[in-house]
Amino acid sequence: MIEDIVDLELPVAERLVIRRNRLQNSTPLSTTKSESTEKLPRIAIVTGVHGDELEGQYVCALIAQKVQAEFARLRGIVDIYPAINPLGIDAIERSIPYLELDMNRYFAGEQERNDSYIAHMTDSVTESLAGADLVVDIHASNIYLREIPQIRMDRNTAERLLPLARLMNVDFVWIHEAITVLKSTLAHTLNSRNTPTLVVEMGVGMRITPVYCHELVQGIFRVMTHLGIWDDPDPSPVKVPIECKEGEVSYINSPAAGLFLPAVEHWIGVAQGELLGRIVQPLTGEVVSEIRSPGAGTVFTLREYPVVMEGSLLARVFTAAPELTK
Amino acid sequence: MKTEVIYRLASMSREDYQIHGYRFGSGKPRVAIVAGMRGSEAQGLYVAAKLVQYLKQNEQAIASGSEILVIPSVNPYSLNTVHRLWPLDHTDINRMFPGYSKGETTQRIAAAVMEAVQDYELGVNLTSTPHPGKHVVHARIHRLGTDSVEAAVAFGLPFVHEHEANPQETGSLNYNWQIWNTRAVSLAGGRGFEIDEDQVLELFHGVLRFLVVQGVLPKNVVPVEALPLQHRHSRVVQDTDICVVTTPRAGIFSTRCRPGDSVQAGEVLAEILDPHVGEVRYEIRSPITGTAFYVYRAPLVYEKMIALMIV
């Protein structure tokens, strides 16, 4: 059933609509409980808060296809929200077009609103998600960085979220410190309202990485089985993710401006001092800098967009697992 | 006047990015004035330029033992491309404070600005809001315990907006100045990417008035319009004092109301028109009698946008 979660008038012959597809099977898993008294378990797949992130679009399509193809296995509700920022997706803009505001900084209900239609959208989305057994908010990095499939959480939520994250078939779970500006994200708002929400980061902006999408879909069905939403007596095994804490990540920021040409593959083990890439100046051809790994570890974030300035992030290296290679 | 380059960065394709600072007087760091942090903030740039010109001509009048620093444009790259945010990654320098000298580009810029301005007793940021409309000229401060109200009223502008910082605003220069014990005031007004000559003069005179009240400039050198007279009382408003009027319909936004206008309860201040057939979809009336603090100013408006703020 396709429902409009938000329906706002736009100035010229159009409406701004945020849609969800609710796939629901009311047949209870246990025959001893009455259907009418049992609250159906619910998972929500959310993506497109940032209009330039497309990996989640394909994940939504794959989930909708599989649930409908094997509908008899469904034991609860799967809600699919592919486009929280529909105008941004259409305009290939990360932010909300026109006001140029990052929608994922406007989910905290208590703050001053820059514009009330954004508050209306974020509040309506939050209300419709609150109470789900699990929300998966799928992000695709940005156009600058390529990320290995990973789940990020702040350490205050780790106790509750880690057991679910371990089922998601991702390579990496990053447990970071609580950050003030992230208090107004969709995930923080839902987690603080007691609705468990996992943030997935994978791939790169404006592109689809099919292998990552298929892996994540496998993990989502595994967690649905765990939550009693999907009937699979023999679920396929999932990857055991590397769990990483803040102190185990080295950030490599560019020391110079130019074109960044990587010398390593993404998600590969590197030795201390190993060449990660070069910065070249196109006007002269000069190699202005050679970028080397500050320690042994695994490159889990790698610069995708070639133009850099001093400070641009080039790579993140997880330094607690030196030997991993793909 | 001493001119210096506060920060410099190379670019692959453009001339080096540079932040220029202009120092006047000598001694104790009294007042830092920062403008042009976003590409939309040309009005603040203009006010700062007028201040540099004025202070250059009147440097000998600055109270002895007082130093003033003016940074007219933190962000020439965005001003020159008429782009509100940082061109390469669309981040906002004014959300990156206190900055990080080993971090991302705009974190480094914020760290350099913070280092240059953090020891000043008083901080003034000529800034803007992201609203697509026009504000009256006002001083804006955060409620942080440190008392900036006294500093804010010294500008003698019509309003002081005492505003509670939201999570993102903890990354602003104003907020971080106050963390480091600088009494900080932001001056806002107008609309992004535009200059209103009357507001420029009002802000310019406001800053001169502030410098007189702070004892940094003597009364006899400032224009008579900038003298701190008794009757120039700012009205201090809190977030909760601002009556926000939103649009229940979308369409062409038609108004003759201007920020600063006195408005009556029930008065029609704007109309929303059907963009194809011209019929009035909605008449926006003022819910209260007061002053228009903000008026939406773009040709087209969405449903549930802020049309007006009345105080």
Side-chain angles (χ1 to χ4, degrees), chain B residues 44-54 70 72:
Chain B
L45 173 79
Y46 187 4
V47 173
K50 285 180 78 74
L51 286 165
V52 169
Q53 184 189 29
Y54 177 86
V70 184

PDB file of all heavy atoms in Angstrom, chain B residues 44-54 70 72:
ATOM      1  N   GLY B  44      27.531  42.656   4.795  1.00  0.00           N
ATOM      2  CA  GLY B  44      28.475  42.753   5.910  1.00  0.00           C
ATOM      3  C   GLY B  44      29.862  43.142   5.422  1.00  0.00           C
ATOM      4  O   GLY B  44      30.572  43.920   6.063  1.00  0.00           O
ATOM      5  N   LEU B  45      30.243  42.610   4.263  1.00  0.00           N
ATOM      6  CA  LEU B  45      31.526  42.959   3.646  1.00  0.00           C
ATOM      7  C   LEU B  45      31.596  44.466   3.405  1.00  0.00           C
ATOM      8  O   LEU B  45      32.590  45.127   3.708  1.00  0.00           O
ATOM      9  CB  LEU B  45      31.650  42.206   2.320  1.00  0.00           C
ATOM     10  CG  LEU B  45      32.818  42.514   1.406  1.00  0.00           C
ATOM     11  CD1 LEU B  45      34.081  41.824   1.904  1.00  0.00           C
ATOM     12  CD2 LEU B  45      32.520  42.065  -0.029  1.00  0.00           C
ATOM     13  N   TYR B  46      30.499  45.019   2.885  1.00  0.00           N
ATOM     14  CA  TYR B  46      30.414  46.450   2.575  1.00  0.00           C
ATOM     15  C   TYR B  46      30.536  47.276   3.855  1.00  0.00           C
ATOM     16  O   TYR B  46      31.304  48.247   3.923  1.00  0.00           O
ATOM     17  CB  TYR B  46      29.076  46.689   1.866  1.00  0.00           C
ATOM     18  CG  TYR B  46      28.816  48.067   1.303  1.00  0.00           C
ATOM     19  CD1 TYR B  46      29.756  49.083   1.341  1.00  0.00           C
ATOM     20  CD2 TYR B  46      27.579  48.335   0.713  1.00  0.00           C
ATOM     21  CE1 TYR B  46      29.471  50.335   0.812  1.00  0.00           C
ATOM     22  CE2 TYR B  46      27.279  49.571   0.176  1.00  0.00           C
ATOM     23  CZ  TYR B  46      28.227  50.571   0.230  1.00  0.00           C
ATOM     24  OH  TYR B  46      27.935  51.805  -0.301  1.00  0.00           O
ATOM     25  N   VAL B  47      29.827  46.860   4.908  1.00  0.00           N
ATOM     26  CA  VAL B  47      29.891  47.583   6.188  1.00  0.00           C
ATOM     27  C   VAL B  47      31.324  47.541   6.725  1.00  0.00           C
ATOM     28  O   VAL B  47      31.870  48.563   7.155  1.00  0.00           O
ATOM     29  CB  VAL B  47      28.907  46.970   7.209  1.00  0.00           C
ATOM     30  CG1 VAL B  47      29.087  47.607   8.586  1.00  0.00           C
ATOM     31  CG2 VAL B  47      27.467  47.127   6.731  1.00  0.00           C
ATOM     32  N   ALA B  48      31.951  46.361   6.655  1.00  0.00           N
ATOM     33  CA  ALA B  48      33.320  46.219   7.156  1.00  0.00           C
ATOM     34  C   ALA B  48      34.284  47.099   6.351  1.00  0.00           C
ATOM     35  O   ALA B  48      35.194  47.719   6.910  1.00  0.00           O
ATOM     36  CB  ALA B  48      33.749  44.759   7.103  1.00  0.00           C
ATOM     37  N   ALA B  49      34.061  47.153   5.034  1.00  0.00           N
ATOM     38  CA  ALA B  49      34.929  47.986   4.185  1.00  0.00           C
ATOM     39  C   ALA B  49      34.809  49.461   4.567  1.00  0.00           C
ATOM     40  O   ALA B  49      35.795  50.192   4.609  1.00  0.00           O
ATOM     41  CB  ALA B  49      34.567  47.781   2.716  1.00  0.00           C
ATOM     42  N   LYS B  50      33.565  49.895   4.862  1.00  0.00           N
ATOM     43  CA  LYS B  50      33.369  51.287   5.296  1.00  0.00           C
ATOM     44  C   LYS B  50      34.075  51.532   6.634  1.00  0.00           C
ATOM     45  O   LYS B  50      34.615  52.622   6.873  1.00  0.00           O
ATOM     46  CB  LYS B  50      31.866  51.596   5.443  1.00  0.00           C
ATOM     47  CG  LYS B  50      31.161  51.767   4.102  1.00  0.00           C
ATOM     48  CD  LYS B  50      29.674  52.060   4.286  1.00  0.00           C
ATOM     49  CE  LYS B  50      29.362  53.483   4.682  1.00  0.00           C
ATOM     50  NZ  LYS B  50      29.510  54.437   3.570  1.00  0.00           N
ATOM     51  N   LEU B  51      34.058  50.530   7.513  1.00  0.00           N
ATOM     52  CA  LEU B  51      34.731  50.668   8.804  1.00  0.00           C
ATOM     53  C   LEU B  51      36.250  50.769   8.617  1.00  0.00           C
ATOM     54  O   LEU B  51      36.909  51.589   9.267  1.00  0.00           O
ATOM     55  CB  LEU B  51      34.393  49.474   9.706  1.00  0.00           C
ATOM     56  CG  LEU B  51      32.985  49.504  10.287  1.00  0.00           C
ATOM     57  CD1 LEU B  51      32.617  48.129  10.857  1.00  0.00           C
ATOM     58  CD2 LEU B  51      32.865  50.577  11.376  1.00  0.00           C
ATOM     59  N   VAL B  52      36.799  49.936   7.715  1.00  0.00           N
ATOM     60  CA  VAL B  52      38.244  49.998   7.461  1.00  0.00           C
ATOM     61  C   VAL B  52      38.612  51.391   6.947  1.00  0.00           C
ATOM     62  O   VAL B  52      39.567  52.019   7.410  1.00  0.00           O
ATOM     63  CB  VAL B  52      38.678  48.894   6.468  1.00  0.00           C
ATOM     64  CG1 VAL B  52      40.117  49.119   5.995  1.00  0.00           C
ATOM     65  CG2 VAL B  52      38.544  47.508   7.114  1.00  0.00           C
ATOM     66  N   GLN B  53      37.820  51.876   6.010  1.00  0.00           N
ATOM     67  CA  GLN B  53      38.079  53.209   5.449  1.00  0.00           C
ATOM     68  C   GLN B  53      38.026  54.282   6.539  1.00  0.00           C
ATOM     69  O   GLN B  53      38.910  55.135   6.648  1.00  0.00           O
ATOM     70  CB  GLN B  53      37.033  53.493   4.367  1.00  0.00           C
ATOM     71  CG  GLN B  53      37.263  54.798   3.640  1.00  0.00           C
ATOM     72  CD  GLN B  53      36.079  55.155   2.730  1.00  0.00           C
ATOM     73  OE1 GLN B  53      34.936  54.786   3.010  1.00  0.00           O
ATOM     74  NE2 GLN B  53      36.368  55.848   1.656  1.00  0.00           N
ATOM     75  N   TYR B  54      37.006  54.189   7.393  1.00  0.00           N
ATOM     76  CA  TYR B  54      36.818  55.167   8.458  1.00  0.00           C
ATOM     77  C   TYR B  54      37.961  55.097   9.478  1.00  0.00           C
ATOM     78  O   TYR B  54      38.531  56.120   9.874  1.00  0.00           O
ATOM     79  CB  TYR B  54      35.468  54.917   9.160  1.00  0.00           C
ATOM     80  CG  TYR B  54      35.242  55.840  10.319  1.00  0.00           C
ATOM     81  CD1 TYR B  54      34.688  57.103  10.138  1.00  0.00           C
ATOM     82  CD2 TYR B  54      35.643  55.463  11.597  1.00  0.00           C
ATOM     83  CE1 TYR B  54      34.538  57.953  11.199  1.00  0.00           C
ATOM     84  CE2 TYR B  54      35.493  56.313  12.670  1.00  0.00           C
ATOM     85  CZ  TYR B  54      34.937  57.561  12.468  1.00  0.00           C
ATOM     86  OH  TYR B  54      34.798  58.417  13.511  1.00  0.00           O
ATOM     87  N   VAL B  70      39.917  44.230  11.966  1.00  0.00           N
ATOM     88  CA  VAL B  70      38.778  44.036  11.057  1.00  0.00           C
ATOM     89  C   VAL B  70      39.172  42.996  10.003  1.00  0.00           C
ATOM     90  O   VAL B  70      40.215  43.117   9.355  1.00  0.00           O
ATOM     91  CB  VAL B  70      38.355  45.352  10.362  1.00  0.00           C
ATOM     92  CG1 VAL B  70      37.114  45.124   9.496  1.00  0.00           C
ATOM     93  CG2 VAL B  70      38.099  46.460  11.378  1.00  0.00           C
ATOM     94  N   PRO B  72      37.381  41.880   6.768  1.00  0.00           N
ATOM     95  CA  PRO B  72      36.177  42.140   5.950  1.00  0.00           C
ATOM     96  C   PRO B  72      35.647  40.903   5.225  1.00  0.00           C
ATOM     97  O   PRO B  72      34.448  40.770   5.020  1.00  0.00           O
ATOM     98  CB  PRO B  72      36.641  43.193   4.946  1.00  0.00           C
ATOM     99  CG  PRO B  72      37.940  43.711   5.466  1.00  0.00           C
ATOM    100  CD  PRO B  72      38.552  42.606   6.261  1.00  0.00           C
TER     101      PRO B  72
END
